[in-house]
């Protein structure tokens, strides 16, 4: 049987590393090529356990370099792409919007174009899977849910760049017949997440008795999904999703930031043998994020009914596993928070 060669982009990042590990371990019949430029968010340590697997190859390179991307597609003849590489942090998109356009829009376009050049004469058995976010839909008020037909209404440079890339994927489907699938997922949490995002940032700060910065009044609401459940959803969508369809993925698990951080503090007090309520004293309300979206919440009924996917862990179980992961990977946390992270933190939180 011919081995299917699949390109996974951004596989050294948070979600990408879970997806690469899952595909390398579960599908020996695939050759998984992980393309990553290794920005501050990409780390090959995330994939130490599978780096010598026979069905795995790492390629260091930039999706925004079109001639490199074209040559890579010619060399490997990828039959499928699972595209996760992106600049992914809203706060950084506010200070560096052009980088977000370059990576998220032009990078996606380069991949689409190289895929089209390779297969436009015969799309049989090919698939381009684009991983996106619920943030493209903008913000919800106090009620309602994002469905697959909610109009795009992005508010941050990050979400605008992701929305634009989603549109290009769809346009390649309509114009060139490129078989694609897109999923828009809610906020992920779990091991290997870079500690610029709320949950790992707070875990790291609690460990070090540092303030927990809560933007605005802390009433902003997110729908949290354990990263392994996202990786399993990606597997289902990649294999069984309909061509040219979109799937929303979410945990049906809404939390205000303040309630979430309080829960995290309770878990950490127990894990660190601290007195009840000690970590909560670190909470500090700080200046709000500009253009801060009030609420995200996903209606995941399509993927649940069509592809029989559902989250496998409750939020408390997932959060507990996440805290345990960070506490037993103190070296990883230490290495990613030294160097440039310190400068980022000082600028972002005006220490
Ligand atoms: P991440 O920032 O942890 O990882 C991104 C990875 O992409 C890193 O390994 C980085 O080195 C790589 N990368 C960045 N620019 C690149 C370039 N020019 N060329 C090659 N590689 C490059 O991000 P994440 O949280 O794992 O998110 C992965 C994807 O999932 C993104 O597309 C993001 O928009 C989407 N998503 C994330 C979430 C979330 O909660 N984290 C939710 C929904 C969707
Ligand atoms: P984040 O993890 O950056 O994800 P996103 O912006 O993609 O939803 O932020 C999650 C929520 O937490 C969001 O409402 C912003 C808020 N937040 C804080 O209150 N303080 C922080 O230091 C960070 C990083 C985020």
């Amino acid at each position: 049987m011919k081995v299917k060669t699949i390109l996974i982009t951004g596989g050294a990042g948070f979600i990408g590393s879970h997806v690469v590990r899952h595909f390398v371990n579960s599908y020996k019949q695939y050759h998984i090529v992980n393309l990553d430029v290794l920005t501050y968010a990409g780390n090959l340590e995330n994939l130490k356990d599978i780096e010598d697997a026979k069905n795995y190859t790492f390629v260091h390179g930039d999706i925004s370099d079109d001639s490199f991307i074209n040559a890579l597609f010619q060399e490997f003849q990828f039959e499928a792409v699972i595209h996760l590489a992106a600049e992914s942090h809203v706060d950084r998109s506010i200070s560096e919007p052009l980088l977000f356009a370059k990576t998220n829009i032009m990078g996606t376009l380069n991949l689409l174009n190289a895929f089209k050049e390779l297969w436009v004469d015969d799309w049989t058995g090919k698939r381009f899977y684009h991983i996106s976010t619920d943030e493209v839909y903008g913000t919800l008020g106090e009620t309602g849910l994002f469905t697959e037909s909610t109009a795009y209404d992005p508010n941050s440079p990050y979400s605008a760049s992701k929305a634009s890339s989603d549109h290009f994927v769809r346009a390649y489907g309509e114009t060139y017949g490129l078989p694609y699938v897109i999923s828009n997922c809610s906020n992920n949490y779990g091991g290997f997440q870079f500690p610029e995002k709320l949950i790992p940032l707070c875990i790291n700060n609690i460990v070090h008795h540092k303030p927990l910065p809560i933007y605005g009044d802390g009433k902003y609401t997110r729908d949290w999904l354990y990263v392994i459940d996202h990786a399993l959803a990606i597997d289902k969508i990649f294999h069984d999703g309909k061509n040219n369809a979109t799937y929303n993925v979410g945990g049906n698990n809404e939390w205000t930031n303040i309630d979430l951080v309080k829960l995290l503090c309770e878990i950490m007090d127990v894990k660190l043998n601290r007195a009840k309520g000690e970590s909560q004293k670190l909470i500090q309300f700080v200046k709000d994020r500009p253009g801060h979206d009030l609420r995200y919440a996903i209606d995941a009924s399509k993927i649940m009914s069509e592809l029989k996917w559902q989250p496998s862990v409750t939020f408390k179980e997932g959060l507990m596993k996440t805290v345990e992961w960070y506490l037993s990977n103190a070296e990883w946390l230490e290495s990613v928070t030294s160097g440039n992270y310190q400068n980022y933190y000082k600028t972002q939180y005006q220490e």
Side-chain angles (χ1 to χ4, degrees):
M1 190 186 75
K2 189 178 171 306
V3 170
K4 194 167 185 169
T5 304
I6 302 174
L7 174 67
I8 301 186
T9 69
F14 166 48
I15 302 171
S17 61
H18 289 280
V19 173
V20 166
R21 178 176 299 100
H22 174 71
F23 272 75
V24 166
N25 287 335
S26 309
Y27 300 104
K28 302 289 181 211
Q29 72 274 33
Y30 296 157
H31 176 204
I32 302 297
V33 178
N34 169 18
L35 168 66
D36 199 300
V37 79
L38 303 178
T39 65
Y40 73 93
N43 188 348
L44 288 179
E45 287 297 308
N46 299 0
L47 291 167
K48 264 263 158 285
D49 53 326
I50 55 110
E51 68 183 3
D52 295 325
K54 285 204 179 70
N55 61 338
Y56 172 69
T57 305
F58 174 70
V59 176
H60 183 224
D62 190 340
I63 58 167
S64 57
D65 178 346
D66 62 338
S67 49
F68 163 75
I69 290 297
N70 287 328
L72 190 75
F73 276 68
Q74 289 302 327
E75 181 187 347
F76 284 95
Q77 304 274 308
F78 302 116
E79 284 127 331
V81 177
I82 304 178
H83 173 38
L84 295 109
E87 288 294 336
S88 68
H89 190 40
V90 173
D91 292 327
R92 289 185 195 251
S93 82
I94 294 168
S95 44
E96 278 190 278
L98 301 190
L99 173 63
F100 279 65
K102 185 175 171 218
T103 301
N104 298 358
I105 306 174
M106 282 312 297
T108 303
L109 194 44
N110 288 335
L111 295 168
L112 286 166
N113 217 48
F115 198 61
K116 168 183 83 83
E117 290 300 308
L118 208 51
W119 304 117
V120 69
D121 293 333
D122 182 7
W123 290 117
T124 316
K126 310 299 180 298
R127 167 154 279 194
F128 190 104
Y129 181 5
H130 178 61
I131 308 295
S132 193
T133 166
D134 60 355
E135 305 195 25
V136 298
Y137 299 122
T139 189
L140 291 164
E142 308 264 305
T143 58
L145 298 172
F146 295 134
T147 71
E148 286 80 1
S149 55
T150 301
Y152 276 31
D153 194 17
N155 289 315
S156 73
Y158 165 64
S159 53
S161 68
K162 291 297 290 187
S164 173
S165 64
D166 293 10
H167 289 320
F168 270 110
V169 175
R170 197 178 163 279
Y172 266 63
E174 292 297 314
T175 308
Y176 306 108
L178 179 144
Y180 72 86
V181 64
I182 299 176
S183 57
N184 297 85
C185 187
S186 63
N187 286 60
N188 284 214
Y189 69 98
F192 297 110
Q193 187 170 33
F194 193 78
E196 62 188 351
K197 306 274 168 62
L198 182 68
I199 291 179
L201 184 143
C202 287
I203 293 175
N204 186 41
N205 286 12
I206 292 170
V207 168
H208 294 102
H209 299 275
K210 284 182 66 174
L212 308 178
I214 307 289
Y215 297 158
D217 63 3
K219 296 285 168 56
Y220 297 92
T221 301
R222 299 291 182 263
D223 176 356
W224 294 92
L225 180 68
Y226 190 49
V227 65
I228 304 277
D229 284 326
H230 189 191
L232 294 172
I234 288 173
D235 179 336
K236 286 250 183 207
I237 294 167
F238 178 73
H239 288 105
D240 303 328
K242 293 198 176 121
N243 265 344
N244 301 8
T246 286
Y247 294 87
N248 279 356
V249 186
N252 193 17
N253 177 41
E254 290 182 51
W255 286 78
T256 62
N257 295 336
I258 187 66
D259 287 346
L260 163 54
V261 171
K262 283 182 177 164
L263 174 62
L264 195 55
C265 287
E266 277 173 33
I267 294 175
M268 294 288 285
D269 280 344
V270 174
K271 293 280 173 199
L272 296 171
N273 289 320
R274 290 186 185 165
K276 197 166 185 277
E278 194 177 327
S279 300
Q280 271 200 35
K281 291 186 197 143
L282 298 168
I283 289 175
Q284 247 179 41
F285 291 92
V286 299
K287 193 160 111 320
D288 211 347
R289 172 188 280 175
H292 199 165
D293 287 332
L294 176 67
R295 178 172 163 260
Y296 306 143
I298 286 272
D299 174 352
S301 52
K302 181 177 172 185
I303 183 176
M304 286 175 146
S305 62
E306 212 181 273
L307 302 181
K308 310 288 174 236
W309 169 90
Q310 58 177 32
S312 67
V313 294
T314 65
F315 189 48
K316 284 198 180 137
E317 285 164 352
L319 210 48
M320 197 75 89
K321 282 174 192 275
T322 303
V323 167
E324 282 161 6
W325 187 89
Y326 282 94
L327 294 180
S328 48
N329 286 277
E331 258 176 48
W332 182 94
L333 198 51
E334 186 60 36
S335 81
V336 302
T337 52
S338 56
N340 285 341
Y341 181 80
Q342 299 295 329
N343 299 331
Y344 163 77
Y345 201 92
K346 275 198 187 91
T347 314
Q348 176 63 25
Y349 297 97
Q350 290 165 2
E351 279 197 320

